[in-house]
DNA sequence: GCCGTTTTCGGCCCGACTGTTTTCAGTCG
């Protein structure tokens, strides 16, 4: 069994949860949580690092003790400390922590005073009215627990960014109907362009009195009001999405935006830095003693801390503060940098539009080039192209090339990578194409080494340029297939291949972490929409969000290059 | 358990809201 970084994170998180219930030192617990996050965000396999004898304690936030524990987890898949804790405390207590309003202290009380060990026992106790008898608990808490237990059944999960965006757009439109509000911004992971969003954090600036909280909580989509205060309210919408609204004065808007954009670990790092500078940072500003020295804009906040502005997508405490201090923050790629689209479908396979329609749409977006890359024959369900049909398409592209002004059509294919790593079309025809994208659409369940070998073998074919959606994941629907992405990236570098960042909001594949790893290895990324319709071309912005989270600069991206440079880059 | 622009010991981000209290602990972000 290969122990993944996520396995190590999970063990540390569980240890932290259980130590919290036990009432252990909160800072020790934080060390475990920090470590869990750090490891979860590392592109390199800890298991590999151990095999290669690397010193894990050189990782920031990992000391001798945690390094040793990681080695044990790599060797055994778990840790003896976790076992010991689970002997002391029932594992179901971890599930109870998932219930809002139940934190470690209350879970501990439920266990020690009422002997509750499972969710079922929790429900029975709530029904029997036993919970309200405990110190610190009351009727409302008891009712809340029952409601939440019911809600846990209807599995809630984080929403895809695209879905959250639709909800946020309508809601902020509604909020703006109230006079007296000026700045309004959706902060949180939404603003950091994370692929999924757990809740919406909306921030509003107000200078004069306005019944903003009443306006907010009477929004027609509100199902439940969790809390309603002067400056902070939370509701649950019918969609199940939680929305928090914060109101701050103008002079604090930047500080509040900085704070509510997070991430939490970024904020902790920022505030620790402020402490060392004898300053205090909160959502109202940066303070020297009583005096507010910054807060109107985010830029002011960072400036006051001696830092250049850090883009929201970078704020994950993955080295951005160190980079800011060294003046080596990336100049992140953005929409105007994009010169063309390298992955698109037409009615020749499963696209909805003709070549001409796609070309005009790409031209309207100011692109210099559009690659037509329909599916290959094996993907029968998508009407994949056989050699004769591809030839026919190439003829049409040649014909259109004479008539199309202002957009260059590239001849391409999204060719299936077959089970053995060979490509689904013969080299003779691939040789006629400008761009060849290889994609895995079958045998997702191959063992790690086989899947990895399969993709690397595809790259061994010098006619292949790009690996499409390299992990195969569908967010919230299908896990990535078992593949050693470190090896894939290395293999791409050695062979002069590129990796795709598929911008389709359900994919966003490569993810941010591997984009950063690819950048560090010098492998360029194609940000591609995989458009099956005209509107799909606009999905580029989701890809850009993920690319920016991966620290990508224009030069790290294949399709920021003009056609002349692109042509050179595509010569393997 | 980690870490070092005062430190190898003594710190570790900070504030809002709720429910259960009668001044605050617990939870959350």
């Amino acid at each position: 069994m290969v122990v993944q970084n996520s396995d190590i994170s999970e063990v540390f998180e569980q240890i932290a949860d259980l130590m919290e219930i036990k009432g252990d030192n909160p800072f020790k617990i934080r060390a475990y949580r920090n470590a869990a996050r750090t490891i979860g965000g590392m592109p390199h396999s800890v298991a590999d690092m151990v095999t290669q004898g690397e010193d894990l304690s050189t990782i920031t936030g990992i000391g001798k003790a945690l390094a040793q524990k990681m080695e044990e987890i790599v060797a055994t898949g778990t840790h003896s400390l976790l076992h010991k804790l689970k002997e002391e405390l029932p594992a179901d207590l971890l599930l109870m922590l998932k219930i809002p309003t139940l934190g470690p202290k209350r879970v501990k009380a439920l266990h020690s005073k009422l002997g509750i060990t499972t969710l079922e026992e929790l429900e029975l106790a709530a029904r029997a009215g036993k919970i309200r008898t405990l110190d610190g608990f009351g009727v409302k808490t008891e009712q809340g627990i029952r409601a939440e237990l019911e809600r846990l059944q209807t599995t809630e999960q984080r929403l895809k960014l695209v879905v959250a965006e639709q909800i946020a757009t309508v809601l902020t439109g509604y909020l703006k109907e109230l006079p007296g509000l000026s700045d309004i911004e959706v902060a949180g992971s939404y603003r950091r362009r994370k692929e999924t969003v757990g809740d919406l954090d909306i921030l509003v600036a107000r200078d004069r009195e306005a019944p903003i909280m009443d306006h907010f909580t009477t929004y027609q989509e509100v199902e439940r009001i969790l809390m309603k205060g002067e400056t902070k309210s939370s509701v649950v919408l019918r969609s199940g999405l939680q929305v928090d609204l914060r109101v701050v004065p103008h002079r604090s808007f930047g500080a509040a935006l900085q704070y509510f954009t997070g991430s939490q670990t970024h904020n902790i790092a920022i505030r620790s830095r402020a402490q060392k500078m004898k300053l205090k940072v909160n959502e109202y500003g940066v303070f020297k003693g009583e005096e507010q020295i910054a807060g109107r804009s985010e830029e002011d906040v960072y400036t006051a801390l001696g830092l250049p502005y850090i883009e929201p997508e970078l704020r994950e405490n993955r080295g951005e503060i160190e980079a800011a201090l060294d003046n080596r923050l990336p100049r992140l790629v953005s929409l105007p940098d994009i010169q063309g689209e390298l992955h698109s479908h037409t009615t020749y396979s499963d696209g909805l539009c003709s070549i001409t329609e796609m070309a005009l749409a790409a031209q309207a977006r100011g692109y210099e080039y559009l690659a037509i890359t329909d599916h290959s024959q094996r993907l029968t369900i998508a009407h994949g192209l056989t050699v004769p049909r591809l030839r026919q398409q190439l003829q049409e592209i040649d014909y259109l090339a004479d008539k199309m002004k202002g957009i260059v059509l590239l001849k391409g294919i999204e060719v299936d990578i077959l089970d053995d790593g060979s490509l689904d079309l013969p080299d003779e025809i691939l040789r006629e194409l400008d761009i060849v994208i290889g994609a895995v659409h079958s045998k997702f369940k191959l063992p790690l080494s086989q899947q990895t070998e399969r993709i690397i073998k595809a790259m061994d074919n010098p006619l292949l340029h790009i690996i499409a959606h390299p992990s195969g994941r569908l967010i919230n629907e299908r896990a990535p297939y078992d593949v050693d992405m470190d090896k894939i990236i290395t293999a791409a570098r050695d062979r002069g291949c590129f990796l795709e960042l598929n911008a389709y909001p359900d994919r966003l594949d490569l993810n941010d972490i591997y984009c950063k790893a690819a950048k560090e290895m010098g492998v360029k990324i194609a940000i591609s929409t995989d458009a099956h319709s005209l509107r799909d071309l606009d999905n580029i912005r989701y890809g850009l969000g993920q690319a920016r989270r991966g620290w990508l600069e224009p030069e790290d991206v294949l399709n920021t290059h003009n056609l002349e440079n692109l042509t050179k880059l595509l010569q393997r």
Side-chain angles (χ1 to χ4, degrees):
Chain A
M1 185 196 68
V2 180
V3 173
Q4 313 266 1
N5 289 5
S6 55
D7 301 326
I8 301 171
S9 289
E10 183 61 24
V11 172
F12 281 169
E13 282 288 358
Q14 290 193 2
I15 289 176
D17 279 345
L18 290 167
M19 287 202 306
E20 214 166 11
I21 295 170
K22 270 187 68 183
D24 241 311
N25 176 353
F27 299 106
K28 187 168 158 182
I29 293 163
R30 180 190 293 170
Y32 277 91
R33 294 208 193 281
N34 280 342
R37 254 188 301 258
T38 302
I39 297 155
M42 273 179 21
H44 308 295
S45 153
V46 169
D48 283 353
M49 290 174 73
V50 170
T51 311
Q52 286 153 24
E54 287 182 49
D55 180 6
L56 299 176
S57 67
T58 56
I59 302 167
T60 310
I62 306 292
K64 271 211 164 75
L66 285 177
Q68 256 177 23
K69 291 196 168 67
M70 285 160 71
E71 286 175 17
E72 182 179 334
I73 299 169
V74 166
T76 67
T78 180
H79 194 271
S80 45
L81 175 59
L82 181 58
H83 276 290
K84 194 166 145 273
L85 287 166
K86 279 184 174 169
E87 275 169 23
E88 295 173 38
L89 298 166
D92 254 25
L93 298 189
L94 295 173
L95 297 176
M96 286 187 212
L97 285 176
K98 305 257 185 250
I99 297 171
T101 74
L102 287 191
K105 299 270 167 54
R106 287 174 154 174
V107 168
K108 185 184 186 181
L110 289 167
H111 177 237
S112 60
K113 302 262 173 63
L114 292 180
I116 292 172
T117 58
T118 67
L119 290 181
E120 289 71 30
E121 288 170 11
L122 180 67
E123 194 180 355
L124 287 174
R127 277 176 195 269
K130 284 185 188 163
I131 290 174
R132 66 181 73 176
T133 64
L134 291 180
D135 278 350
F137 290 78
V139 178
K140 278 207 162 182
T141 309
E142 189 176 79
Q143 286 170 345
I145 290 171
R146 288 184 66 176
E148 286 299 340
L149 277 169
E150 228 166 272
R151 208 162 74 97
L152 268 183
Q153 314 293 334
T154 62
T155 52
E156 35 149 355
Q157 53 185 359
R158 294 174 64 91
L159 293 183
K160 282 173 222 168
L161 181 59
V162 60
V163 179
E165 207 169 63
Q166 286 154 3
I167 295 171
T169 305
V170 181
L171 174 53
T172 52
Y174 166 81
L175 290 176
K176 283 176 193 160
E177 289 171 9
L178 188 75
L181 311 177
S182 38
D183 291 320
I184 177 163
E185 196 89 45
V186 185
S189 50
Y190 178 95
R191 184 159 177 255
R192 301 200 310 277
R193 308 315 282 163
K194 223 174 149 180
E195 61 202 30
T196 59
V197 170
D199 60 13
L200 291 178
D201 300 293
I202 303 181
L203 188 63
V204 166
R206 160 180 75 178
D207 274 341
R208 63 184 169 89
E209 280 307 305
I212 173 68
M213 291 310 184
D214 288 336
H215 184 60
F216 173 57
T217 52
T218 54
Y219 179 52
Q220 61 168 2
E221 288 299 312
V222 169
E223 185 178 82
R224 214 149 51 93
I225 300 170
L226 297 175
M227 64 164 81
K228 185 178 171 189
E230 284 285 298
T231 64
K232 178 180 181 184
S233 294
S234 293
V235 301
V236 178
L237 302 182
R238 285 183 222 286
S239 57
L241 185 66
Q242 182 175 328
V243 185
D244 302 335
L245 182 73
R246 287 294 297 249
V247 181
V248 294
H250 269 292
R251 64 173 185 283
S252 298
F253 191 76
L257 187 57
Q258 195 283 324
Y259 173 50
F260 291 109
T261 297
S263 64
Q264 196 185 18
T265 53
H266 175 85
N267 285 349
I268 289 175
I270 285 289
R271 290 178 177 198
S272 299
R273 173 171 173 78
Q275 266 192 335
K276 283 176 196 147
M277 297 170 75
K278 303 263 190 254
L279 299 171
K280 187 177 74 167
V281 178
N282 58 27
E283 56 262 57
Y284 299 106
V286 181
F287 294 87
K288 190 179 227 164
E290 295 291 299
E291 183 201 359
Q292 181 184 345
I293 60 167
R296 187 167 287 275
S297 76
E298 276 192 322
E299 285 82 356
D300 294 348
V301 171
Y302 285 102
T303 304
L305 299 175
L307 295 168
Y309 179 72
I310 300 176
E311 300 278 3
E313 294 92 335
L314 298 177
R315 301 182 198 167
E316 298 288 349
N317 201 24
R318 291 183 188 151
E320 71 278 10
I321 293 171
E322 293 80 356
L325 285 168
D326 295 352
N327 242 331
R328 49 176 180 82
L329 278 175
R331 184 181 85 71
L332 297 181
V333 61
S334 63
L335 186 57
D337 297 315
I338 299 295
Q339 302 299 317
E341 170 64 57
L342 293 175
H343 186 165
S344 73
H345 295 271
T346 71
T347 46
Y348 272 84
S349 64
D350 60 350
L352 299 177
C353 304
S354 68
I355 299 174
T356 308
E357 287 170 316
M358 293 300 285
L360 291 173
Q363 188 187 359
R365 282 161 178 78
Y367 290 163
E368 187 187 3
Y369 48 85
L370 169 72
I372 303 295
T373 56
D374 275 304
H375 290 288
S376 65
Q377 54 193 7
R378 198 211 65 90
L379 212 57
T380 47
I381 193 163
H383 309 109
L385 300 182
T386 56
V387 172
R389 290 189 60 228
L390 178 53
R391 280 242 149 71
Q392 186 190 341
Q393 184 183 51
L394 298 184
Q395 276 179 9
E396 183 177 344
I397 292 174
D398 279 334
Y399 171 75
L400 289 172
D402 290 338
K403 310 176 82 175
M404 287 282 171
K405 301 280 179 248
I407 182 99
V408 174
L409 292 176
L410 301 177
K411 298 173 183 165
I413 190 84
E414 179 182 3
V415 63
D416 263 48
I417 297 173
L418 302 178
D419 301 355
D420 64 354
S422 62
L423 302 181
D424 184 33
L425 287 169
D427 286 356
E428 300 87 80
I429 185 114
L430 297 180
R431 206 168 278 125
E432 294 177 33
L433 303 176
D434 300 309
I435 185 161
V436 176
I437 305 173
V440 168
H441 289 127
S442 60
K443 286 274 167 75
F444 295 142
K445 304 246 184 242
L446 287 181
L448 179 105
S449 60
Q450 250 176 289
Q451 195 71 276
T452 307
E453 283 310 309
R454 173 191 188 188
I455 296 172
I456 291 176
K457 186 170 171 229
M459 287 192 276
D460 284 341
N461 185 328
L463 297 170
L464 184 129
H465 300 111
I466 301 172
I467 298 290
H469 39 74
S471 88
R473 65 121 174 226
L474 294 175
I475 297 170
N476 285 354
E477 287 165 42
R478 187 172 73 206
Y481 31 72
D482 280 338
V483 72
D484 187 333
M485 201 56 79
D486 240 1
K487 276 193 185 143
I488 302 277
I489 296 170
T490 310
R493 180 198 61 193
D494 294 345
R495 289 161 182 74
C497 284
F498 308 100
L499 298 177
E500 180 179 87
L501 194 186
N502 192 295
Y504 194 66
D506 295 50
R507 289 192 183 270
L508 297 176
D509 179 12
L510 284 182
N511 68 17
D512 48 359
I513 291 165
Y514 288 123
C515 280
K516 191 166 181 226
K519 172 198 174 87
E520 282 163 10
M521 290 238 217
V523 174
K524 289 196 198 317
I525 300 289
I527 307 178
S528 297
T529 65
D530 195 356
H532 286 69
S533 71
L534 305 184
R535 286 190 64 180
D536 281 354
L537 289 168
D538 293 329
N539 286 337
I540 188 76
R541 58 200 189 86
Y542 298 108
L544 283 164
Q546 188 84 340
R548 291 163 64 88
R549 288 178 58 80
W551 294 50
L552 297 192
E553 303 183 71
E555 50 270 35
D556 303 319
V557 176
L558 190 57
N559 48 322
T560 58
H561 292 268
N562 64 26
L563 185 60
E564 193 187 338
N565 284 340
L566 176 75
T567 311
K568 283 180 201 153
L569 286 165
L570 288 178
Q571 285 162 10
R572 277 185 59 179

